[in-house]
C-alpha cells in the first residue's frame, strides 16, 4: 500500500471564501462597533434561532463559558449534585465544578455512548439538583426518559449539545429539549464562529438573566445586579457565523457522504464497530467514532492509533481518558465503577471527518485500517 505524503488530520476547520468574510467585517469599520451585542451579533442570533429551530437563544464567546453562565442562570443551590457523564470533554465537568456544584458520574450505554438513563435514578439523593447529559458525537440522549426522571424528582436538565449543532429529533430542534442546551461553535466543531457558544431554552425569563451574566451582571451605568462573567460574542465571531451559516447544509451533506463511505468500507472489517443513523433523527455527522474489539480485529485501539500515524493518518482517542481519570479528578472520582464507559473509552477512536475530506482519502484510511488488522 502506497503511503500518501500529505497528513490527514482528524478534522479541518471550515473557512468560507475570504472575500465573503471580508465583505461582512467591512461593516465593522463603518460603525467601530466591535463587541457588546452589535448589529452582526443580532443578525447572527436571529438567523440561528431559525436554523436551530429553538424558541430563544443567547450567544457567548465560547461553549464553555456558555455552560457556566447557563448553570448560574438556573440558580442551583451551592453544593448541589449534578448527575453527568464521565465520557465527555473536560468542559462539561469543569463547568459543574467551577459553579460550586458536585458532579456525580453515571455510566454510559454502549449503543450511542450517552448517559445510561437506566442508571440515573439510583444516583439521585436529596442533594441532587440537576442532570447534565451530553449528546455525545451529536447522537441524541434518551430525552423522554431523562425528562420523566427530572419531572419526578424536580430536577433541572442542562444538555451539553456541543456536538449536536443542527441535529433534530422528530423534526424538532434538539435545543428545544430540557431547560437549557449548549452548542459549541469552536473552530473544530461541525459549525464554527471561530470560537463561540450558544444557549438555547424555552423560558423567556432565562434570557434576561443570561444577558446580565454574560456582561458582568451590569444593568446600567451605575448598577450591577449579579456576579457575572464576561463572555460576549464579538462582531468578528458573529460575522464568521453569519457567513458560515450559508454553507452549513452543504457541509453536513458532504459529511454524510464521507460517513456513508466509511460505513460501507468498514462493514467488511471484523472487530470494528460504528454507530448507524438513529430513527427519527436528522444527524449532523460531526464525528466518525469506531470501537475496536482487539480480540476480533487482532490489534488494540492504541496499536491502531499508532500504526495509522505511519500512514500519515491522525486520529483521536476521543474521549480518553475518562474525566474521572484526569489528574485533577482521579483522587476524588477515580474509584467509581464505570465499566461501560471504561470499555468504550479504552476502545474508541475517532477517524478523520470534515466536509472536504476526499472520498479517495476515506478509502485510503479504510484500506490502512484493514491492512493493520491483517
Ligand atoms: C467543545 C466542547 C465543549 C466546549 O466548547 P468550547 O466552545 O470549546 O468552549 C463542551 N462540551 C463538549 C462535549 C465539547 O465537545
Amino acid at each position: 500500500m502506497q503511503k500518501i505524503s500529505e497528513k490527514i488530520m482528524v478534522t479541518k476547520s471550515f473557512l468560507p471564501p475570504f472575500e465573503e468574510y471580508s465583505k461582512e467585517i467591512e461593516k465593522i469599520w463603518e460603525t467601530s462597533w466591535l463587541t457588546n451585542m452589535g448589529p452582526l451579533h443580532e443578525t447572527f442570533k436571529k438567523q440561528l434561532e431559525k436554523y436551530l429551530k429553538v424558541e430563544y437563544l443567547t450567544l457567548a464567546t465560547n461553549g464553555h463559558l456558555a455552560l457556566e453562565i447557563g448553570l448560574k442562570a438556573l440558580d442551583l443551590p451551592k453544593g448541589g449534585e449534578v448527575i453527568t457523564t464521565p465520557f465527555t470533554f473536560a468542559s462539561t465537568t469543569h463547568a459543574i465544578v467551577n459553579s460550586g456544584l458536585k458532579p456525580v458520574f453515571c455510566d454510559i450505554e454502549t449503543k450511542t455512548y450517552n448517559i445510561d438513563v437506566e442508571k440515573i435514578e439510583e444516583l439521585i439523593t436529596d442533594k441532587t439538583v440537576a442532570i447534565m447529559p451530553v449528546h455525545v458525537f451529536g447522537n441524541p440522549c434518551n430525552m423522554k426518559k431523562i425528562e420523566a426522571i427530572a419531572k419526578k424528582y424536580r430536577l433541572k436538565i442542562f444538555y451539553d449539545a456541543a456536538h449536536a449543532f443542527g441535529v433534530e429529533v422528530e423534526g424538532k430542534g434538539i435545543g428545544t429539549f430540557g431547560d437549557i442546551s449548549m452548542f459549541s461553535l469552536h473552530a473544530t466543531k461541525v459549525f464554527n464562529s471561530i470560537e463561540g457558544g450558544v444557549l438555547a431554552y424555552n423560558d423567556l425569563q432565562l434570557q434576561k438573566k443570561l444577558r446580565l451574566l454574560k456582561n458582568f451582571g451590569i444593568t446600567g451605568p451605575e448598577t450591577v445586579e449579579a456576579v457575572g462573567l464576561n463572555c460576549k460574542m464579538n462582531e468578528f465571531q458573529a460575522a464568521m457565523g453569519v457567513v458560515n451559516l450559508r454553507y452549513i447544509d452543504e457541509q453536513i451533506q458532504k459529511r454524510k457522504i464521507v460517513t456513508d463511505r466509511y460505513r460501507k468500507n468498514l462493514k467488511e472489517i471484523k472487530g470494528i464497530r460504528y454507530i448507524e443513523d438513529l430513527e427519527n433523527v436528522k444527524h449532523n455527522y460531526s464525528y466518525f467514532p469506531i470501537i475496536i474489539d482487539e480480540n476480533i480485529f487482532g490489534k488494540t485501539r492504541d496499536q491502531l492509533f499508532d500504526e495509522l500515524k505511519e500512514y500519515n493518518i491522525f486520529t483521536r482517542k476521543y474521549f480518553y481518558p475518562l474525566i474521572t481519570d484526569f489528574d485533577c479528578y482521579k483522587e476524588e472520582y477515580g474509584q467509581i465503577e464505570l465499566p461501560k464507559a471504561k470499555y468504550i473509552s479504552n476502545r474508541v477512536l475517532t477517524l478523520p471527518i470534515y466536509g472536504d475530506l476526499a472520498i479517495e482519502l476515506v478509502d485510503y484510511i479504510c484500506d490502512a485500517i484493514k491492512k493493520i488488522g491483517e
Side-chain angles (χ1 to χ4, degrees), residues 60-67 87-93 95 134-137 160-163 182-189 194-198 287 318-319:
T61 304
N62 58 51
H64 180 76
L65 288 174
L67 286 178
F87 190 70
T88 182
F89 183 56
S91 173
T92 322
T93 310
V134 181
H135 302 301
V136 178
F137 303 131
D160 181 336
H163 296 177
M182 182 283 287
F183 299 94
S184 165
L185 313 187
H186 183 260
T188 56
K189 300 297 205 286
I194 310 172
E195 293 237 25
V198 178
Y287 298 87
Y318 203 54
F319 299 105

Side-chain angles (χ1 to χ4, degrees), residues 326-338:
F326 284 2
D327 287 343
C328 55
Y329 292 125
K330 68 181 178 204
E331 212 158 297
E332 193 163 0
Y333 302 104
Q335 300 308 314
I336 300 170
E337 297 253 339
L338 300 160

Side-chain angles (χ1 to χ4, degrees), residues 238-255:
M240 187 64 94
V242 164
V243 178
N244 282 353
L245 206 52
R246 298 173 194 150
Y247 294 91
I248 182 64
D249 284 335
E250 181 191 304
Q251 285 297 308
I252 290 176
Q253 188 52 36
K254 284 174 150 184
R255 284 170 174 271

Side-chain angles (χ1 to χ4, degrees), residues 260-307:
D260 287 343
R261 189 69 165 209
Y262 268 131
R263 287 174 179 162
K264 180 172 166 279
N265 290 346
L266 295 176
K267 194 179 265 170
E268 298 158 17
I269 306 178
K270 293 199 169 61
I272 302 276
R273 190 152 61 82
Y274 50 81
I275 307 173
E276 296 282 2
D277 279 1
L278 304 170
E279 224 173 296
N280 299 321
V281 174
K282 182 175 168 239
H283 289 276
N284 67 2
Y285 306 101
S286 46
Y287 298 87
F288 194 85
I290 57 171
I291 303 294
I292 296 108
D293 182 338
E294 64 280 6
N295 296 322
I296 304 172
F297 182 67
K299 294 270 171 79
T300 64
R301 184 272 311 273
D302 289 352
Q303 286 171 321
L304 180 60
F305 172 82
D306 287 335
E307 291 185 34

Side-chain angles (χ1 to χ4, degrees), residues 219-238:
T219 46
E222 299 180 6
T223 48
V224 179
E225 280 183 19
V227 186
L229 285 85
N230 176 15
C231 56
K232 305 176 295 285
M233 176 179 281
N234 70 52
E235 291 291 277
F236 290 84
Q237 292 177 289

Side-chain angles (χ1 to χ4, degrees), residues 86-88 108 113 291 301-302 317-323 325 338-349:
F87 190 70
T88 182
I108 62 170
Y113 327 139
I291 303 294
R301 184 272 311 273
D302 289 352
K317 302 174 192 177
Y318 203 54
F319 299 105
Y320 173 86
L322 286 182
I323 298 279
D325 290 329
L338 300 160
K340 288 178 178 163
K342 287 221 159 79
Y343 180 92
I344 295 298
S345 182
N346 287 332
R347 286 168 184 78
V348 70
L349 201 61

